[in-house]
Coordinates of all heavy atoms in Angstrom, one line a residue:
L49 N -32.7 0.2 16.4 CA -34.0 0.1 16.9 C -34.1 -0.5 18.3 O -33.5 -1.5 18.7 CB -34.8 -0.9 16.0 CG -36.4 -0.9 16.3 CD1 -37.1 0.5 16.0 CD2 -37.1 -2.0 15.6
P53 N -40.4 -1.7 24.0 CA -41.8 -1.9 24.1 C -42.3 -3.1 23.4 O -43.5 -3.5 23.5 CB -42.4 -0.7 23.5 CG -41.3 -0.3 22.5 CD -40.1 -0.7 23.0
F54 N -41.5 -4.1 22.8 CA -41.8 -5.1 22.1 C -42.9 -6.1 22.9 O -43.8 -6.4 22.2 CB -40.7 -5.9 21.5 CG -40.2 -5.4 20.3 CD1 -40.3 -4.1 19.9 CD2 -39.4 -6.3 19.4 CE1 -39.6 -3.7 18.7 CE2 -38.9 -5.9 18.3 CZ -38.9 -4.5 17.9
G55 N -42.6 -6.2 24.1 CA -43.5 -7.2 24.8 C -44.8 -6.8 25.4 O -45.6 -7.5 25.9
G56 N -45.0 -5.4 25.2 CA -46.3 -4.8 25.8 C -46.2 -4.5 27.2 O -45.3 -3.6 27.5
L63 N -46.6 -13.1 26.8 CA -46.5 -12.6 25.6 C -47.7 -12.9 24.7 O -48.1 -14.1 24.7 CB -45.1 -12.9 24.9 CG -44.9 -12.5 23.6 CD1 -44.6 -11.0 23.5 CD2 -43.7 -13.2 23.0
T64 N -48.2 -12.0 24.0 CA -49.3 -12.3 23.1 C -48.9 -12.4 21.7 O -48.0 -11.7 21.2 CB -50.5 -11.2 23.3 OG1 -50.0 -9.9 22.8 CG2 -51.1 -11.1 24.7
E65 N -49.8 -13.0 20.9 CA -49.4 -13.1 19.4 C -49.5 -11.7 18.7 O -48.8 -11.3 17.9 CB -50.5 -14.1 18.8 CG -50.3 -15.4 19.1 CD -48.9 -16.0 18.7 OE1 -48.5 -15.7 17.7 OE2 -48.3 -16.7 19.7
E66 N -50.5 -10.9 19.3 CA -50.6 -9.5 18.8 C -49.4 -8.7 19.0 O -48.9 -8.1 18.1 CB -51.8 -8.8 19.5 CG -52.1 -7.6 18.8 CD -52.7 -6.6 19.8 OE1 -53.1 -7.0 21.0 OE2 -53.0 -5.4 19.5
R67 N -48.6 -8.8 20.1 CA -47.3 -8.2 20.3 C -46.3 -8.7 19.3 O -45.5 -8.0 18.9 CB -47.0 -8.3 21.8 CG -47.8 -7.6 22.8 CD -48.0 -6.2 22.5 NE -46.8 -5.3 22.4 CZ -46.8 -4.0 22.2 NH1 -48.1 -3.3 22.2 NH2 -45.7 -3.2 22.1
V68 N -46.4 -10.0 19.2 CA -45.3 -10.6 18.2 C -45.5 -10.0 16.9 O -44.5 -9.6 16.2 CB -45.3 -12.1 18.2 CG1 -44.3 -12.7 17.2 CG2 -45.1 -12.7 19.5
K69 N -46.7 -9.8 16.4 CA -47.0 -9.3 15.1 C -46.5 -7.9 15.0 O -46.0 -7.5 13.9 CB -48.5 -9.4 14.8 CG -48.9 -10.8 14.3 CD -50.2 -10.7 13.4 CE -50.6 -12.2 13.0 NZ -51.5 -12.9 14.0
L70 N -47.0 -7.2 16.1 CA -46.5 -5.6 16.0 C -45.0 -5.6 16.0 O -44.4 -4.7 15.3 CB -47.1 -4.9 17.2 CG -48.7 -4.7 17.3 CD1 -49.0 -4.2 18.7 CD2 -49.0 -3.8 16.2
S71 N -44.4 -6.4 16.7 CA -42.8 -6.4 16.8 C -42.2 -6.7 15.4 O -41.3 -6.1 15.0 CB -42.3 -7.3 17.9 OG -43.0 -7.1 19.1
E72 N -42.9 -7.7 14.8 CA -42.5 -8.2 13.5 C -42.5 -7.0 12.5 O -41.6 -6.7 11.7 CB -43.4 -9.3 13.1 CG -42.7 -10.2 12.1 CD -43.4 -11.5 12.1 OE1 -44.6 -11.6 12.6 OE2 -42.7 -12.6 11.9
A73 N -43.6 -6.3 12.6 CA -43.8 -5.1 11.6 C -42.8 -4.0 11.9 O -42.3 -3.4 10.9 CB -45.2 -4.6 11.8
A74 N -42.5 -3.8 13.2 CA -41.4 -2.8 13.5 C -40.0 -3.3 13.0 O -39.3 -2.5 12.4 CB -41.3 -2.7 15.1
V75 N -39.7 -4.5 13.2 CA -38.4 -5.0 12.6 C -38.3 -5.0 11.1 O -37.3 -4.6 10.7 CB -38.1 -6.5 13.2 CG1 -36.9 -7.2 12.6 CG2 -38.0 -6.5 14.7
E76 N -39.4 -5.3 10.5 CA -39.5 -5.2 9.0 C -39.2 -3.8 8.6 O -38.4 -3.6 7.6 CB -40.9 -5.7 8.5 CG -40.8 -7.2 8.0 CD -42.2 -7.7 7.7 OE1 -43.1 -6.9 7.2 OE2 -42.4 -8.9 8.0
A77 N -39.9 -2.9 9.3 CA -39.8 -1.4 8.8 C -38.3 -1.0 9.0 O -37.6 -0.3 8.2 CB -40.7 -0.5 9.6
A78 N -37.7 -1.5 10.1 CA -36.3 -1.1 10.5 C -35.4 -1.7 9.4 O -34.5 -0.9 8.9 CB -35.9 -1.6 11.9
A100 N -40.3 -11.9 22.3 CA -40.9 -11.5 21.0 C -39.9 -11.4 19.8 O -40.1 -12.1 18.7 CB -41.7 -10.2 21.1
I104 N -39.2 -13.8 16.2 CA -39.1 -13.2 14.9 C -37.8 -13.8 14.3 O -37.7 -14.2 13.1 CB -38.8 -11.6 15.0 CG1 -40.1 -11.0 15.5 CG2 -38.5 -11.1 13.7 CD1 -40.0 -9.6 16.0
T319 N -39.6 4.0 18.7 CA -40.9 3.9 18.2 C -41.1 2.5 17.5 O -40.2 2.0 17.1 CB -41.3 4.9 17.1 OG1 -42.5 4.7 16.4 CG2 -40.2 4.9 15.9
M320 N -42.4 2.0 17.8 CA -42.7 0.7 17.2 C -43.6 0.9 15.9 O -44.1 -0.1 15.3 CB -43.7 -0.1 18.3 CG -42.8 -0.8 19.3 SD -43.7 -2.1 20.1 CE -43.8 -3.4 18.9
N321 N -44.0 2.3 15.6 CA -44.8 2.6 14.6 C -44.1 2.4 13.3 O -43.1 3.2 13.1 CB -45.4 3.9 14.9 CG -46.3 4.4 13.7 OD1 -46.0 4.2 12.5 ND2 -47.4 5.1 14.2
P322 N -44.4 1.5 12.4 CA -43.7 1.4 11.2 C -43.5 2.6 10.2 O -42.4 2.9 9.8 CB -44.5 0.3 10.3 CG -45.2 -0.5 11.3 CD -45.5 0.5 12.5
I325 N -40.9 4.7 12.0 CA -39.5 4.1 11.8 C -39.1 4.6 10.4 O -37.9 5.0 10.2 CB -39.5 2.6 11.9 CG1 -39.9 2.2 13.4 CG2 -38.3 2.0 11.5 CD1 -40.1 0.8 13.6

Side-chain angles (χ1 to χ4, degrees):
L49 185 69
F54 275 25
L63 178 67
T64 63
E65 288 306 313
E66 188 204 352
R67 292 307 302 183
V68 177
K69 281 206 182 89
L70 290 172
S71 306
E72 208 159 21
V75 170
E76 264 171 31
I104 297 164
T319 173
M320 277 198 78
N321 178 318
I325 293 172

